[in-house]
Amino acid sequence: MCLLRLFQASNLQGAWRAALRKQGQSQPPGPHRWMHSGGSPFRAVIFDMGGVLIPSPGSLAPAWEAQNNIPSGTILKAFIAGRDSGPWMKFMRGELTPEDFFQEFGKLCSEMVVESCLEGICKPDPRIYQLCLERLGVQPSQSVFLDDLGQNLKAAASLGMHTVKVNDPGTAVKDLEGLLGFTLRAAVPNTCPVRKTMEISTDSLERYLKGVLGTKATGPLELRQFSHGQSNPTYYIRLADHQLVLRKKPPGKLLPSAHAVEREFRILKTLSSAGVPVPKVLDLCEDSSIIGTPFYLMEYCPGLIYKDPSLPGLEPSQRRAVYTAMNRVLCQIHSVDFLAAGLGDYGKQGDYVRRQVQIWTKQYRASETSTVPAMERLIEWLPGHLPEEQRTTVVHGDFRLDNLIFHPEKNEVLAVLDWELSTLGDPLADVAYSCLAHYLPSGFAMLQGLSGRDLSQLGIPAAEEHFRMYCHHMGIPLVENWNFYMAFSFFRVAAILQGVYKRSLTGQASSATAEHSGKLVEFTSNLAWDFAVKEGFRVFKEMPATRPSSRSFHTWASAQTLLRTTGVRCYSSFPEPSKGALVISPEGLPRPVQELYHQLSRFMEQHVYPVEQELRDHQTSAQRWTPSPLIEALKEKAKAEGLWNLFLPLEADPEKKYGAGLTNVEYAHLCELMGMSVYAPEVFNCSAPDTGNMELLVRYGTEEQKARWLVPLLEGRARSCFAMTEPQVASSDATNVESSIREEKDCYVISGHKWWISGILDPRCQLCVFMGKTDPQAPRHRQQSVLLVPMETPGIKVVRPLTVYGLEDAPGGHGEVLFEDVRVPKENMVLGPGCGFEIAQGRLGPGRIHHCMRLIGMSERALALMKARVKSRVAFGKPLMEQGTILADIAQSRVEIEQARLLVLKAAHLMDKTGNKAAALDIAMIKMVAPSMACRVVDRAVQAFGAAGLSSDHPLAQFFAWARALRFADGPDEVHQAAVAKMELRPHT
């Protein structure tokens, strides 16, 4: 006699497998409640162990126990008290492994079997039932007795016990369910109650199913949701004798081309005919009125799903057999003749990986919630490292162990699930995807992994062996670039997880764990990048030895001091570029411009570097607000040598009336040279803000304005400033400007508070280019205007000079200024009222090129000084140049300078070829990149110099202050980042 105390029971997977096969099921039962203390009055079920609930010849549990050398009654021990905290429920919830479960319930086993022979009482003697009730501590009315003999049932009923006659196990279970008021039969493994956000209409679904299946059964429809899966919600359905699986699109707005259940239905139907093990599909319903979205039906395929890739409970040989079966079925999929199967149009043929990178990049961008650095690197790296040769087959797209159903007794794949991402493509992508678990930790939330496990001890093939096994089965050469495919696969995972996370924010994701996926995007993208790095090393090692480039970077030094040491680029190995090509080296410049470049270089070396310390000393002296006579002398010398007004771009001055007629690219190379000294730009009349103001006058000024202001500026007799930034508002947005320009009868009246007005303190400053609002009611970008304000105009009041990291930058300085009823003639308006924003943007394009190339020159100089320093200094017994961190810093600085230079030159090239507007993206990018790069390079040099790097004995402190300030000048980094991102997100035509 078996006694069952109140409990919630789940499946003892191995024990019940045989029992359920006898009832037409191959899956163990899921959670069910035999008794509960809520609505049901019953607290115990009593039945005969010998064959009542499972009578002979259907005595299933004893047969399983005997077959597996397990003591009789072991299965029934699982029904010991414990309720939700008992081992059975813990096992069902996944809190206990099978081994742990057996250990736990064994500890709890106590009096649960009443042996008639030991008690000396047999059925139908009522005393045996009384003894059972006493052992259980329940009243007769709180128990149910099951038996196949009427006399035994009659005796139990005489005591007030409820009885169920057992002729057939299935019928007896139904009768018992009727008494208890809840189901006892197994819920399908890996299912759970339907989540609130994934509920569907069962009434309309039941009507539809009866129409499709032709069944007239009136029994209730049982609906559960599969607990795993992140994309298309999947449900288990039992209706009458039918067990089905329904797979639907998720609700809500979906990403383009995602969740195509129609494609899944088609591929399953086709592959089934081709002999690939897949579930049998029954119907596709594209009528969203049934359950809210399109769906398809397939038969439920019972079997085993291994969610833990370490396959606990199996022997090493069994594990290897499971993974071998997985490998073989993948080969079976890839061997399908897709043309003969009618799948020639199922996807584009060839170039699969490139398209997939584009698709997943697009999907990622559409669901992006924050910036993930590794994803940004991968989006840039993957398109440049695509496999040269790609086969085309049917690909699954999400092939992994837990998407396979295995035979309960044999290591044979019964069905491959989840074909949402299937298409025609490169089969190696499937192979790599099937190895994801090898590199994920065991506690990975979305997919359990094998990382850190001893695979040889477990008997599980390593990822490399898995690839080799696949190649052997398919009869193809070994895959060398499998690291690329792993990088690509983890990139896809990261993009998928990002989509899942985005949907979870709106309740669209089909898995309860979806909301955690946001934290995993960075983790998986970092894994992808690790493989990208490995692939890069593999390619590098396979490259044939070649003669190194003859490009050299030599350093020259003044005889006086190390501070005048700088570096010059020499690209003697570069051929002359073809017409219209980007010129990346001075040697590629036209011959006249090359001569100008070398002339400028000689001038810098002979006249500028030797006097830098004297100029620095002047800037800290009592006469600092007076222009240095030395600068004025150098300006006359430069003008005499024709090294003057080099900045005006050819497209703004095609007749070369005002400048040297250089293109933006040509001047960029010269500008880099001038950037090697903070004093050089003024010497050649190429310093900001004068350059921008002169270009403004050339582009937009009237002939009268040019005569009054442009000519003195071009001749170097005057200086100027640009007044836009205001302390009260975020002036990085020019539309925020609050200073007013009020029109009166014969003039404009200016009122406002400006600061960081560079150059306004210079006594030579004669012109202030002022930006203010003329019409606050106009559209945002038509409110501002630009006026030319003579500095002698009454009402201009300098409040104070501002310092940059303590540097005053005399004599021009940076001033805070009040404009109090400053009256300016109407003819001083530039271009017209409301054109201020247009003028400001036009003025900044070339200016940003100038700033960035000067920063690159500054960085080259800092690196050259650093190299000279570490060669001459000794610390801890050896030269600094032999210290590992120093070497790393030098290498990193060189790389960053080269990268920034190429980007700036590209922007200048686009400005020359397509115009400033078309080059807006690249102009914004260089302003993001160059100042930050210069800050890092100069900071490394300062570190190498030690405390000396902070002093005015060397130019590094000035360099750093300028570089840091230029992360704000012409717009802060964040403005340019936002501009780049917005342009990136625009649809590309």
Side-chain angles (χ1 to χ4, degrees):
M1 186 77 71
C2 178
L3 315 180
L4 299 182
R5 193 181 297 271
L6 176 65
F7 65 93
Q8 282 187 312
S10 176
N11 65 316
L12 183 57
Q13 198 163 8
W16 281 105
R17 185 183 298 139
L20 292 165
R21 279 202 304 273
K22 293 289 186 177
Q23 299 180 35
Q25 304 179 49
S26 293
Q27 286 283 18
H32 56 274
R33 189 185 299 272
W34 288 73
M35 297 189 179
H36 61 89
S37 56
S40 174
F42 300 107
R43 296 184 57 203
V45 175
I46 305 172
F47 57 91
D48 187 283
M49 284 183 59
V52 178
L53 185 58
I54 329 174
S56 186
S59 184
L60 306 175
W64 184 89
E65 290 165 349
Q67 177 184 345
N68 291 279
N69 298 316
I70 293 175
S72 177
T74 297
I75 295 175
L76 300 177
K77 291 180 181 179
F79 300 107
I80 287 294
R83 304 190 184 183
D84 286 351
S85 61
W88 193 283
M89 280 308 296
K90 288 183 179 179
F91 176 68
M92 180 56 198
R93 291 193 298 264
E95 297 171 10
L96 295 178
T97 65
E99 294 84 356
D100 293 336
F101 168 76
F102 279 104
Q103 183 177 358
E104 288 293 322
F105 83 66
K107 296 176 183 178
L108 297 174
C109 290
S110 59
E111 294 179 328
M112 55 178 292
V113 178
V114 177
E115 293 282 359
S116 298
C117 59
L118 296 178
E119 303 297 339
I121 310 172
C122 298
K123 295 179 298 182
D125 189 327
R127 290 177 299 169
I128 191 71
Y129 308 118
Q130 288 281 13
L131 183 58
C132 290
L133 296 171
E134 290 172 3
R135 297 276 177 88
L136 290 170
V138 299
Q139 297 298 316
S141 61
Q142 295 175 312
S143 65
V144 179
F145 176 67
L146 297 92
D147 203 285
D148 58 337
L149 298 177
Q151 58 183 351
N152 295 341
L153 295 168
K154 185 176 180 180
S158 68
L159 297 175
M161 300 173 68
H162 295 268
T163 61
V164 173
K165 183 172 177 59
V166 181
N167 293 318
D168 171 73
T171 303
V173 169
K174 288 182 180 180
D175 292 342
L176 184 57
E177 288 174 338
L179 276 174
L180 300 177
F182 49 81
T183 183
L184 295 173
R185 284 167 295 174
V188 176
N190 305 313
T191 66
C192 60
V194 179
R195 292 173 56 215
K196 187 72 175 178
T197 56
M198 292 293 139
E199 291 179 347
I200 58 179
S201 172
T202 54
D203 292 338
S204 58
L205 176 61
E206 186 170 352
R207 289 192 298 270
Y208 165 81
L209 291 174
K210 289 180 178 179
V212 171
L213 302 173
T215 177
K216 303 299 182 183
T218 57
L221 181 146
E222 181 184 350
L223 183 69
R224 295 180 65 81
Q225 184 179 356
F226 283 94
S227 56
H228 64 293
Q230 303 296 325
S231 188
N232 291 333
T234 308
Y235 303 83
Y236 169 81
I237 299 172
R238 183 194 290 272
L239 181 61
D241 295 328
H242 295 276
Q243 294 186 80
L244 309 170
V245 174
L246 181 151
R247 191 158 161 87
K248 68 184 285 290
K249 290 188 177 184
K253 184 179 179 180
L254 305 176
L255 296 175
S257 74
H259 312 283
V261 295
E262 303 85 355
R263 284 175 57 84
E264 287 188 54
F265 178 83
R266 178 189 176 189
I267 192 69
L268 286 169
K269 189 173 182 179
T270 303
L271 292 181
S272 179
S273 301
V276 176
V278 292
K280 181 181 178 181
V281 291
L282 302 176
D283 191 54
L284 170 67
C285 178
E286 299 181 272
D287 182 359
S288 297
S289 67
I290 304 299
I291 60 171
T293 63
F295 64 93
Y296 69 92
L297 286 175
M298 52 186 162
E299 289 185 352
Y300 173 65
C301 180
L304 298 177
I305 296 178
Y306 296 113
K307 300 186 72 174
D308 186 340
S310 67
L311 304 177
L314 298 187
E315 295 295 323
S317 59
Q318 294 174 308
R319 294 188 184 104
R320 185 171 187 85
V322 167
Y323 276 90
T324 301
M326 174 186 179
N327 196 293
R328 286 187 180 279
V329 79
L330 183 59
C331 294
Q332 191 175 353
I333 294 169
H334 294 164
S335 298
V336 170
D337 186 337
F338 62 87
L339 293 175
L343 293 173
D345 62 343
Y346 193 63
K348 295 181 181 179
Q349 299 181 33
D351 215 11
Y352 167 77
V353 178
R354 181 187 62 81
R355 294 196 312 275
Q356 284 289 298
V357 170
Q358 292 174 346
I359 289 170
W360 289 110
T361 298
K362 184 178 179 180
Q363 298 280 41
Y364 173 75
R365 292 300 189 202
S367 59
E368 190 174 11
T369 54
S370 63
T371 299
V372 180
M375 287 298 282
E376 300 304 320
R377 293 194 295 268
L378 288 162
I379 288 170
E380 181 179 356
W381 182 85
L382 286 168
H385 297 79
L386 301 174
E388 294 181 1
E389 297 182 7
Q390 300 176 36
R391 296 167 51 232
T392 299
T393 69
V394 172
V395 292
H396 181 274
D398 193 16
F399 191 83
R400 60 193 199 204
L401 187 64
D402 64 343
N403 273 336
L404 307 179
I405 298 178
F406 282 82
H407 194 284
E409 302 296 336
K410 298 182 291 184
N411 294 311
E412 174 188 337
V413 177
L414 296 177
V416 183
L417 308 176
D418 200 352
W419 290 82
E420 179 191 352
L421 302 178
S422 61
T423 185
L424 299 181
D426 187 339
L428 295 180
D430 269 351
V431 186
Y433 205 82
S434 68
C435 294
L436 292 178
H438 285 70
Y439 302 97
L440 294 173
S442 59
F444 194 71
M446 312 300 288
L447 176 65
Q448 294 187 59
L450 294 166
S451 178
R453 305 293 296 270
D454 187 339
L455 297 186
S456 60
Q457 185 177 10
L458 290 173
I460 296 174
E464 297 91 331
E465 185 180 357
H466 193 70
F467 269 93
R468 288 196 298 270
M469 187 189 303
Y470 172 86
C471 294
H472 173 73
H473 291 156
M474 290 295 293
I476 61 174
L478 292 177
V479 177
E480 298 295 336
N481 59 338
W482 66 273
N483 277 316
F484 170 86
Y485 286 96
M486 292 305 305
F488 166 61
S489 295
F490 274 112
F491 170 73
R492 287 181 54 201
V493 171
I496 292 170
L497 289 172
Q498 183 62 44
V500 172
Y501 176 63
K502 183 69 175 289
R503 293 197 304 276
S504 75
L505 299 179
T506 57
Q508 290 178 262
S510 64
S511 168
T513 60
E515 63 187 87
H516 302 297
S517 61
K519 302 175 183 178
L520 306 177
V521 176
E522 186 170 357
F523 177 82
T524 49
S525 61
N526 284 334
L527 281 177
W529 184 246
D530 288 344
F531 280 106
V533 172
K534 292 177 184 177
E535 177 63 12
F537 276 115
R538 183 193 68 81
V539 173
F540 178 77
K541 289 177 181 177
E542 292 182 357
M543 291 176 63
T546 57
R547 187 174 66 88
S549 169
S550 60
R551 182 184 68 170
S552 63
F553 293 87
H554 76 270
T555 299
W556 73 84
S558 165
Q560 297 181 22
T561 171
L562 284 172
L563 66 89
R564 291 191 284 275
T565 302
T566 187
V568 147
R569 294 178 294 140
C570 177
Y571 294 84
S572 59
S573 64
F574 281 86
E576 185 171 337
S578 59
K579 186 176 181 180
L582 170 61
V583 179
I584 64 172
S585 73
E587 283 70 25
L589 294 169
R591 185 61 58 187
V593 182
Q594 281 191 47
E595 292 172 0
L596 195 61
Y597 178 91
H598 294 302
Q599 184 184 357
L600 179 65
S601 176
R602 287 192 298 272
F603 190 98
M604 295 275 292
E605 189 170 359
Q606 293 171 6
H607 303 296
V608 178
Y609 300 127
V611 299
E612 280 185 322
Q613 188 60 51
E614 187 176 344
L615 294 173
R616 273 196 295 276
D617 292 340
H618 178 80
Q619 284 187 310
T620 59
S621 70
Q623 293 76 38
R624 63 188 180 278
W625 297 110
T626 301
S628 166
L630 186 54
I631 285 286
E632 296 301 309
L634 288 175
K635 287 167 66 174
E636 291 302 317
K637 188 181 292 290
K639 189 186 299 185
E641 291 190 20
L643 299 174
W644 194 255
N645 292 335
L646 305 172
F647 66 93
L648 272 173
L650 182 63
E651 54 93 15
D653 182 25
E655 297 177 5
K656 304 182 183 180
K657 290 174 58 177
Y658 306 112
L662 303 177
T663 66
N664 284 294
V665 168
E666 290 167 351
Y667 177 66
H669 289 282
L670 305 185
C671 200
E672 179 180 342
L673 273 182
M674 286 185 269
M676 293 183 180
S677 171
V678 295
Y679 305 104
E682 184 183 353
V683 168
F684 305 107
N685 208 36
C686 294
S687 60
D690 293 333
T691 50
N693 291 338
M694 285 188 273
E695 186 170 354
L696 178 152
L697 288 165
V698 169
R699 289 178 181 272
Y700 307 112
T702 65
E703 290 304 315
E704 292 76 15
Q705 290 169 348
K706 291 177 184 177
R708 181 173 180 183
W709 305 115
L710 179 60
V711 172
L713 289 170
L714 288 171
E715 291 176 353
R717 292 185 286 110
R719 298 296 306 272
S720 63
C721 62
F722 188 84
M724 185 182 83
T725 306
E726 299 180 357
Q728 300 93 342
V729 297
S731 305
S732 56
D733 179 356
T735 63
N736 280 343
V737 169
E738 293 181 345
S739 295
S740 67
I741 302 176
R742 187 177 74 255
E743 184 177 6
E744 289 191 0
K745 184 177 180 181
D746 57 351
C747 66
Y748 289 104
V749 180
I750 296 173
S751 296
H753 186 184
K754 302 283 188 178
W755 71 340
W756 292 107
I757 312 306
S758 299
I760 198 167
L761 301 172
D762 194 314
R764 298 165 296 178
C765 183
Q766 298 180 16
L767 171 67
C768 175
V769 181
F770 184 96
M771 186 169 180
K773 281 191 178 179
T774 46
D775 185 2
Q777 306 306 316
R780 290 182 69 236
H781 295 91
R782 296 291 297 174
Q783 297 177 2
Q784 302 81 19
S785 300
V786 169
L787 278 176
L788 303 177
V789 183
M791 282 300 298
E792 69 269 16
T793 308
I796 301 176
K797 185 181 298 183
V798 176
V799 177
R800 59 173 174 149
L802 302 169
T803 61
V804 180
Y805 288 119
L807 300 176
E808 292 176 314
D809 198 24
H814 313 280
E816 181 176 356
V817 185
L818 290 176
F819 293 82
E820 299 175 339
D821 294 327
V822 179
R823 296 179 178 274
V824 181
K826 284 190 174 180
E827 58 263 31
N828 287 18
M829 177 70 70
V830 180
L831 199 59
C835 296
F837 191 86
E838 174 188 350
I839 293 168
Q841 291 302 305
R843 176 183 181 276
L844 291 176
R848 286 171 179 159
I849 294 287
H850 305 167
H851 275 319
C852 292
M853 286 306 290
R854 281 195 292 265
L855 285 167
I856 290 167
M858 183 185 297
S859 301
E860 282 282 5
R861 178 84 181 281
L863 180 57
L865 289 168
M866 179 183 181
K867 290 187 290 184
R869 181 76 169 187
V870 300
K871 290 177 181 178
S872 64
R873 305 289 282 192
V874 175
F876 304 105
K878 61 181 178 180
L880 287 179
M881 64 179 293
E882 295 180 15
Q883 305 287 348
T885 56
I886 293 291
L887 294 173
D889 283 348
I890 291 173
Q892 191 64 36
S893 293
R894 169 52 59 204
V895 169
E896 290 177 0
I897 292 170
E898 295 297 321
Q899 290 171 329
R901 179 186 289 117
L902 287 173
L903 190 62
V904 178
L905 290 174
K906 177 197 170 191
H909 178 75
L910 288 174
M911 290 170 66
D912 290 334
K913 300 301 178 183
T914 64
N916 295 3
K917 187 174 181 180
L921 173 64
D922 295 82
I923 294 172
M925 286 194 294
I926 65 172
K927 191 57 176 59
M928 283 170 51
V929 169
S932 296
M933 177 277 297
C935 284
R936 294 191 298 271
V937 171
V938 175
D939 183 68
R940 294 183 192 115
V942 169
Q943 198 72 12
F945 268 74
L950 303 174
S951 73
S952 61
D953 292 343
H954 304 282
L956 296 176
Q958 277 183 303
F959 284 175
F960 186 87
W962 266 105
R964 188 63 185 84
L966 284 171
R967 291 187 62 192
F968 292 109
D970 292 352
D973 291 357
E974 291 78 6
V975 168
H976 301 293
Q977 289 167 352
V980 170
K982 288 175 182 177
M983 284 184 271
E984 276 295 306
L985 291 171
R986 289 176 189 165
H988 293 284
T989 58

